[in-house]
Coordinates of all heavy atoms in Angstrom, one line a residue:
Chain B
G16 N -23.9 -26.6 17.4 CA -24.7 -25.7 18.2 C -24.0 -25.4 19.6 O -24.5 -24.5 20.3
T17 N -22.9 -26.0 19.9 CA -22.3 -25.8 21.2 C -21.2 -24.7 21.0 O -20.7 -24.5 19.9 CB -21.6 -26.9 21.7 OG1 -20.6 -27.4 20.9 CG2 -22.6 -28.1 22.1
P18 N -21.0 -23.9 22.1 CA -20.0 -22.8 22.0 C -18.6 -23.4 22.2 O -18.5 -24.4 23.0 CB -20.4 -21.9 23.1 CG -21.1 -22.7 24.1 CD -21.9 -23.8 23.3
V19 N -17.6 -22.9 21.6 CA -16.2 -23.3 21.6 C -15.3 -22.1 21.7 O -15.5 -21.2 21.0 CB -15.8 -24.2 20.4 CG1 -14.4 -24.7 20.5 CG2 -16.7 -25.5 20.3
T20 N -14.4 -22.2 22.7 CA -13.4 -21.2 22.8 C -11.9 -21.8 22.6 O -11.6 -22.8 23.4 CB -13.4 -20.4 24.1 OG1 -14.7 -19.7 24.1 CG2 -12.3 -19.4 24.2
L21 N -11.1 -21.3 21.8 CA -9.8 -21.7 21.6 C -8.9 -20.6 22.1 O -9.2 -19.4 21.9 CB -9.5 -21.9 20.2 CG -10.4 -22.9 19.3 CD1 -9.9 -23.1 17.9 CD2 -10.6 -24.2 20.1
R22 N -7.8 -20.9 22.8 CA -6.9 -20.0 23.4 C -5.5 -20.0 22.7 O -4.9 -21.1 22.5 CB -6.7 -20.3 24.9 CG -5.9 -19.4 25.6 CD -5.7 -19.7 27.0 NE -4.8 -18.8 27.8 CZ -3.8 -19.1 28.5 NH1 -3.5 -20.4 28.6 NH2 -3.1 -18.2 29.3
C23 N -5.0 -18.9 22.5 CA -3.6 -18.7 22.0 C -2.9 -17.9 23.1 O -3.4 -16.8 23.5 CB -3.6 -17.9 20.7 SG -1.9 -17.6 20.1
H24 N -1.7 -18.4 23.5 CA -1.0 -17.8 24.6 C 0.5 -17.6 24.1 O 1.1 -18.5 23.5 CB -0.9 -18.6 25.8 CG -0.1 -18.1 26.9 ND1 -0.6 -17.0 27.7 CD2 1.1 -18.4 27.4 CE1 0.4 -16.7 28.6 NE2 1.4 -17.5 28.4
Q25 N 1.0 -16.4 24.2 CA 2.4 -16.1 23.8 C 3.2 -15.5 24.9 O 2.7 -14.8 25.8 CB 2.4 -15.1 22.6 CG 1.8 -13.7 23.0 CD 2.4 -12.6 22.2 OE1 3.6 -12.6 22.0 NE2 1.7 -11.6 22.0
T26 N 4.5 -15.7 24.9 CA 5.4 -15.2 25.9 C 6.4 -14.2 25.3 O 7.4 -13.9 25.9 CB 6.1 -16.3 26.6 OG1 6.8 -17.2 25.7 CG2 5.1 -17.3 27.4
E27 N 6.2 -13.8 24.0 CA 7.1 -13.1 23.3 C 6.9 -11.6 23.3 O 7.6 -10.7 22.8 CB 7.1 -13.5 21.8 CG 7.5 -15.0 21.6 CD 8.9 -15.3 22.1 OE1 9.7 -14.5 21.8 OE2 9.0 -16.4 22.7
N28 N 5.7 -11.2 23.9 CA 5.3 -9.8 24.0 C 5.2 -9.1 22.7 O 5.4 -8.0 22.4 CB 6.3 -8.9 24.8 CG 5.7 -7.7 25.4 OD1 4.5 -7.7 25.7 ND2 6.5 -6.6 25.5
H29 N 4.8 -10.0 21.6 CA 4.5 -9.5 20.3 C 3.2 -8.7 20.2 O 2.2 -9.2 20.9 CB 4.5 -10.6 19.2 CG 5.9 -11.0 18.9 ND1 7.1 -10.6 19.5 CD2 6.3 -11.9 18.0 CE1 8.1 -11.2 19.1 NE2 7.7 -12.0 18.1
R30 N 3.2 -7.7 19.5 CA 1.9 -6.8 19.4 C 0.8 -7.4 18.7 O -0.3 -7.3 19.0 CB 2.3 -5.5 18.8 CG 1.1 -4.5 18.7 CD 1.5 -3.2 18.1 NE 0.3 -2.4 17.8 CZ 0.3 -1.2 17.1 NH1 1.5 -0.8 16.5 NH2 -0.8 -0.6 16.9
Y31 N 1.1 -8.1 17.5 CA 0.1 -8.6 16.6 C -0.1 -10.1 16.9 O 0.8 -10.9 17.0 CB 0.5 -8.4 15.1 CG 0.4 -7.0 14.7 CD1 1.4 -6.1 15.0 CD2 -0.7 -6.6 13.9 CE1 1.3 -4.7 14.6 CE2 -0.8 -5.3 13.5 CZ 0.2 -4.3 13.9 OH 0.1 -3.1 13.4
M32 N -1.4 -10.5 16.8 CA -1.8 -11.9 17.0 C -2.9 -12.2 15.9 O -3.7 -11.3 15.6 CB -2.3 -12.2 18.4 CG -1.2 -12.0 19.4 SD -1.7 -12.5 21.1 CE -1.6 -14.3 21.0
Y33 N -2.9 -13.4 15.4 CA -3.8 -13.7 14.3 C -4.4 -15.1 14.6 O -3.7 -16.0 15.1 CB -3.0 -13.8 13.0 CG -2.1 -12.6 12.6 CD1 -0.9 -12.4 13.2 CD2 -2.6 -11.7 11.7 CE1 -0.1 -11.2 12.9 CE2 -1.9 -10.6 11.4 CZ -0.6 -10.4 11.9 OH 0.1 -9.2 11.6
W34 N -5.6 -15.3 14.1 CA -6.2 -16.6 14.0 C -6.5 -17.0 12.5 O -7.1 -16.2 11.8 CB -7.5 -16.7 14.7 CG -7.4 -16.9 16.2 CD1 -7.5 -16.0 17.2 CD2 -7.0 -18.1 16.9 NE1 -7.3 -16.5 18.4 CE2 -7.1 -17.8 18.3 CE3 -6.7 -19.3 16.4 CZ2 -6.7 -18.8 19.2 CZ3 -6.4 -20.3 17.3 CH2 -6.4 -20.1 18.7
Y35 N -6.0 -18.2 12.1 CA -6.2 -18.7 10.8 C -6.9 -20.0 10.9 O -6.8 -20.7 11.9 CB -4.8 -19.0 10.0 CG -4.1 -17.7 9.7 CD1 -3.1 -17.2 10.5 CD2 -4.3 -17.1 8.5 CE1 -2.4 -16.1 10.2 CE2 -3.5 -16.0 8.1 CZ -2.6 -15.5 9.0 OH -1.8 -14.4 8.6
R36 N -7.6 -20.4 9.9 CA -8.0 -21.7 9.7 C -7.4 -22.3 8.5 O -7.1 -21.6 7.5 CB -9.6 -21.8 9.7 CG -10.2 -21.1 8.5 CD -11.7 -21.4 8.6 NE -12.2 -22.7 8.2 CZ -13.3 -23.2 8.3 NH1 -14.4 -22.5 8.6 NH2 -13.6 -24.5 7.9
Q37 N -7.1 -23.6 8.5 CA -6.5 -24.3 7.4 C -7.3 -25.5 7.0 O -7.7 -26.4 7.8 CB -5.1 -24.8 7.8 CG -4.3 -25.4 6.6 CD -2.9 -25.8 6.9 OE1 -2.6 -26.2 8.0 NE2 -2.1 -25.6 5.9
D38 N -7.8 -25.5 5.7 CA -8.6 -26.5 5.2 C -8.0 -27.0 3.8 O -7.4 -26.1 3.1 CB -10.0 -25.9 4.9 CG -10.7 -25.3 6.1 OD1 -10.9 -26.1 7.0 OD2 -10.8 -24.1 6.2
P39 N -8.1 -28.2 3.5 CA -7.7 -28.8 2.2 C -8.1 -28.0 1.0 O -9.3 -27.7 1.0 CB -8.1 -30.2 2.2 CG -8.3 -30.6 3.7 CD -8.8 -29.3 4.4
G40 N -7.3 -27.5 0.2 CA -7.7 -26.8 -1.0 C -7.9 -25.3 -0.8 O -8.2 -24.6 -1.8
H41 N -7.7 -24.9 0.4 CA -7.9 -23.4 0.7 C -6.7 -22.8 1.3 O -6.7 -21.5 1.5 CB -9.1 -23.3 1.6 CG -10.4 -23.6 1.1 ND1 -11.2 -22.7 0.2 CD2 -11.2 -24.7 1.0 CE1 -12.3 -23.2 -0.2 NE2 -12.3 -24.4 0.3
G42 N -5.7 -23.5 1.7 CA -4.6 -22.9 2.4 C -4.9 -22.3 3.7 O -5.7 -22.9 4.4
L43 N -4.3 -21.3 4.0 CA -4.5 -20.6 5.3 C -5.4 -19.3 5.1 O -5.0 -18.5 4.3 CB -3.2 -20.1 5.9 CG -2.2 -21.3 6.4 CD1 -0.8 -20.9 6.4 CD2 -2.7 -21.7 7.8
R44 N -6.4 -19.3 5.9 CA -7.3 -18.1 5.7 C -7.5 -17.4 7.0 O -7.7 -18.0 8.0 CB -8.7 -18.6 5.1 CG -8.7 -19.1 3.7 CD -10.1 -19.4 3.2 NE -10.6 -20.6 3.9 CZ -11.8 -21.1 3.8 NH1 -12.6 -20.6 2.9 NH2 -12.1 -22.2 4.4
L45 N -7.4 -16.1 7.0 CA -7.4 -15.3 8.2 C -8.8 -15.1 8.7 O -9.7 -14.8 7.9 CB -6.7 -13.9 7.9 CG -6.7 -13.0 9.1 CD1 -5.7 -13.5 10.2 CD2 -6.2 -11.6 8.7
I46 N -9.0 -15.3 10.0 CA -10.3 -15.2 10.7 C -10.4 -13.8 11.3 O -11.3 -13.1 10.9 CB -10.5 -16.3 11.7 CG1 -10.3 -17.7 11.1 CG2 -12.0 -16.2 12.3 CD1 -10.3 -18.8 12.1
H47 N -9.6 -13.6 12.2 CA -9.5 -12.3 12.9 C -8.0 -12.0 13.2 O -7.3 -13.0 13.3 CB -10.4 -12.2 14.2 CG -11.8 -12.1 14.0 ND1 -12.5 -11.0 13.8 CD2 -12.8 -13.1 14.1 CE1 -13.8 -11.2 13.7 NE2 -14.0 -12.5 13.9
Y48 N -7.8 -10.8 13.5 CA -6.4 -10.5 14.0 C -6.5 -9.4 15.0 O -7.6 -8.7 15.1 CB -5.4 -10.1 12.9 CG -5.6 -8.8 12.2 CD1 -4.9 -7.7 12.6 CD2 -6.6 -8.7 11.2 CE1 -5.1 -6.5 11.9 CE2 -6.8 -7.6 10.5 CZ -6.0 -6.4 10.9 OH -6.3 -5.3 10.2
S49 N -5.4 -9.2 15.9 CA -5.4 -8.2 16.9 C -4.1 -7.4 16.8 O -3.0 -8.0 16.5 CB -5.5 -8.8 18.3 OG -5.2 -7.9 19.2
Y50 N -4.2 -6.1 16.8 CA -3.0 -5.2 16.8 C -2.7 -4.6 18.1 O -2.0 -3.6 18.1 CB -3.1 -4.2 15.6 CG -4.4 -3.4 15.6 CD1 -4.5 -2.3 16.2 CD2 -5.6 -4.0 14.9 CE1 -5.7 -1.5 16.1 CE2 -6.7 -3.3 14.9 CZ -6.8 -2.1 15.5 OH -8.0 -1.4 15.4
G51 N -3.3 -5.1 19.1 CA -3.1 -4.6 20.5 C -4.1 -5.0 21.4 O -5.2 -5.6 21.0

Side-chain angles (χ1 to χ4, degrees):
Chain B
T17 60
V19 177
T20 295
L21 308 182
R22 179 183 183 232
C23 178
H24 179 77
Q25 60 143 330
T26 58
E27 304 296 322
N28 201 34
H29 283 5
R30 178 182 175 190
Y31 287 80
M32 299 185 76
Y33 307 82
W34 276 108
Y35 291 92
R36 61 178 289 175
Q37 185 174 36
D38 305 288
H41 290 278
L43 291 153
R44 293 180 292 174
L45 182 67
I46 304 170
H47 284 280
Y48 70 98
S49 170
Y50 48 96

